[in-house]
Amino acid sequence: MSAQEFIAIDLPALLAALFACLSCALVGNFLVLRRQSLLGDAVSHAVLPGIVAGFLVAGSRETIPMVVGALGAALVAVLLIELVRRVGKVESGAAMGVVFTGLFALGVLMIEQGAARSVDLDADCVLYGQLEDVIWLGPTRFADLADPAVWLTLPREAMQLIVVFAIGLLLVWAFFKELTIASFDPGLADTVGVSSALVQTALVVLTAVVTVAAFEAVGSILVIAMLICPAATARLLTDRLGTQMRLSLLIGGVTGIGGYALGAMLPVWLGAENAVNAAGSIATLGGVILTLAILFAPRYGALARRRRDADLGMEA
Amino acid sequence: MLQRLRDLDFMPPREAGVSPLVVRDLTVAYHRTPVLRRVNWTAPSSGLIAVCGPNGAGKSTLIKACLGLVRPLAGTVEVFGRPLARQRRLVGYVPQRESVDWEFPVSALDVVAMGRYGLIGWGRRVSKAHRQAAMDALDRVGLADLADRQIGQLSGGQQQRVFLARALAQEAQLYFMDEPLAGVDAATEQAVLDVLRELDAQGRTVICVHHDLQTVADTFDHVLLLNGGVVAEGSPATTLTPDNLRATYGARGQGLMG
């Protein structure tokens, strides 16, 4: 592989994968802590018709219309859930299940209709991501990368993920205290003037933005894996929230880069013709790392627990 | 250390003659089932106050409504003569221990420092002074040694004391505590009682949901009997009469005093 090939094909895709994973890991920490992991799943499904609507209206994969559409869809989803819950008198889990799958189905129908009108948006791209299509036609040699101006020509998919991650990191850093108290004890948060409803809403919006920004890279389905795996892995490795956040970013980064590399190289090493879908290999690696943590984490791992139980058994 | 807490206290002294808490015509319902009907109550301005009543009497609901955590169908709550929204900093809260996730990756000190968040303000860091105030509060309940321990690794009683330290760190004038003495060990019970008496001696008002009628008279100066509405209130001696207990708890009420 030449330097030019790497910079044109692999580097932008790697950057998109890396920042998609970092953004998801960042937000995922709070979803995991609040036991709202499925919120990411729900949001990523519900925003699909909004993304497609934004795409159909704008006629291109511009970020802003799709984000607006996605946030609109998220809002509609929240209102619909409330409506189904009240009118249908069902519990909120059931209402969520109905609304999110319904909206997702609507999104798929809209994609099919759009495809019929030969618009450039297909179900595969939305569902599984299209990292392989991210191409950087600018620099041709590694030396070119030293010029800051050349980075401004970075493909939109990678650029938007870098911006989303930067904004997310800034928000989480600035309001870490508020996120923590509202996640740990919403009642106390409300009594000291930190509106837990506001924090919850902000978290849903941030999740929606990250989901939309990341869906092109890893797909709207696999985005859920990256929202949960790095944060859940980090949760098993530490008892400090700050450490957990840093670890989750590290794990997310390793998963993004490692998963992409595996997807590109492993099949070739194994003698297969083509590289596999990068989003799939990233999500799989995320799952493998989480599994290792579940088994071998020092305090919360299954083996450590077993050993402790055995020790207790010896004493007794 | 107490001197320190007082030095940090920026609250104006209690205005003479203004009750810490006035509840007027308060009605609260969950899913259209009324829990509290037209509660009217003016809390006394000194002494420890217990709120007693059977399960489902609306004890927790009353303090949650006073804290603005549940929205009443009707009625108003005034804290030191003003609507609650303008007096948040004067109010402290000790929820039931089961209300939070103790697996959460924070230390005892982190949780106590949360009591200071209202004083610190949005988007600002926890300064050294605030961290020290939290440490002092933790010391006050005898848990300074365990400041760095993850909260899930504390015993139930220690967890209750962490909540109490957090309330101390709030430096409020009016405290609502939901069963701070429920199911705690002897050391914790003593620590809780010490703190309650100290808060009372400093002129702060403490309103506790309390379930054990037999110990009400030992600890509290004032009792509110609640069952969907106010049944009776006053000193334990005059309030915990057989008639009032029957009216609050039903036929088995008399047996509760042993």
Side-chain angles (χ1 to χ4, degrees), chain A residues 97-108:
Chain A
V98 169
V99 169
F100 288 134
T101 45
L103 284 171
F104 185 73
L106 177 67
V108 172

Side-chain angles (χ1 to χ4, degrees), chain A residues 173 177-178 185 235 240-241, chain B residues 103 105 121 123 125 148 166:
Chain A
W173 180 80
K177 195 166 105 281
E178 285 73 20
D185 193 343
R235 179 69 197 90
R240 285 284 176 278
L241 184 51
Chain B
E103 300 278 301
R125 307 272 114 184
D148 285 331
R166 186 175 72 177

Side-chain angles (χ1 to χ4, degrees), chain B residues 33-88:
Chain B
T33 312
V35 180
L36 293 173
R37 285 174 211 260
R38 297 181 69 90
V39 171
N40 281 287
W41 183 44
T42 300
S45 29
S46 69
L48 295 170
I49 302 161
V51 178
C52 299
N55 289 333
K59 306 178 298 270
S60 292
T61 303
L62 175 64
I63 68 173
K64 281 182 182 156
C66 290
L67 286 158
L69 295 178
V70 296
R71 198 185 294 267
L73 280 183
T76 57
V77 174
E78 269 181 18
V79 173
F80 293 108
R82 290 201 186 138
L84 171 79
R86 297 173 61 189
Q87 305 279 53
R88 286 204 184 285

Side-chain angles (χ1 to χ4, degrees), chain A residues 37 112 155 161 200:
Chain A
S37 300
E112 298 292 325
L161 279 163
Q200 167 75 23

Side-chain angles (χ1 to χ4, degrees), chain A residues 142-231:
Chain A
F142 284 112
D144 293 345
L145 299 177
D147 177 9
V150 85
W151 287 97
L152 292 175
T153 67
L154 202 62
R156 185 182 47 75
E157 292 88 343
M159 193 63 117
Q160 78 188 20
L161 279 163
I162 293 174
V163 172
V164 164
F165 175 65
I167 293 173
L169 195 63
L170 194 72
L171 285 175
V172 169
W173 180 80
F175 299 112
F176 188 66
K177 195 166 105 281
E178 285 73 20
L179 280 163
T180 310
I181 190 173
S183 303
F184 175 64
D185 193 343
L188 180 81
D190 285 331
T191 64
V192 301
V194 175
S195 163
S196 58
L198 180 64
V199 172
Q200 167 75 23
T201 309
L203 206 56
V204 172
V205 170
L206 195 58
T207 307
V209 169
V210 166
T211 305
V212 175
F215 97 95
E216 276 186 284
V218 295
S220 72
I221 303 290
L222 295 177
V223 80
I224 178 70
M226 294 326 293
L227 278 170
I228 295 175
C229 288

Side-chain angles (χ1 to χ4, degrees), chain A residues 91-150:
Chain A
E91 45 118 3
S92 55
M96 273 184 167
V98 169
V99 169
F100 288 134
T101 45
L103 284 171
F104 185 73
L106 177 67
V108 172
L109 280 181
M110 288 167 69
I111 294 175
E112 298 292 325
Q113 284 304 307
R117 284 191 278 142
S118 68
V119 206
D120 175 30
L121 187 76
D122 60 272
D124 282 359
C125 155
V126 174
L127 301 186
Y128 310 125
Q130 244 174 13
L131 271 178
E132 291 77 3
D133 290 2
V134 185
I135 293 168
W136 193 5
L137 299 169
T140 50
R141 293 168 298 132
F142 284 112
D144 293 345
L145 299 177
D147 177 9
V150 85

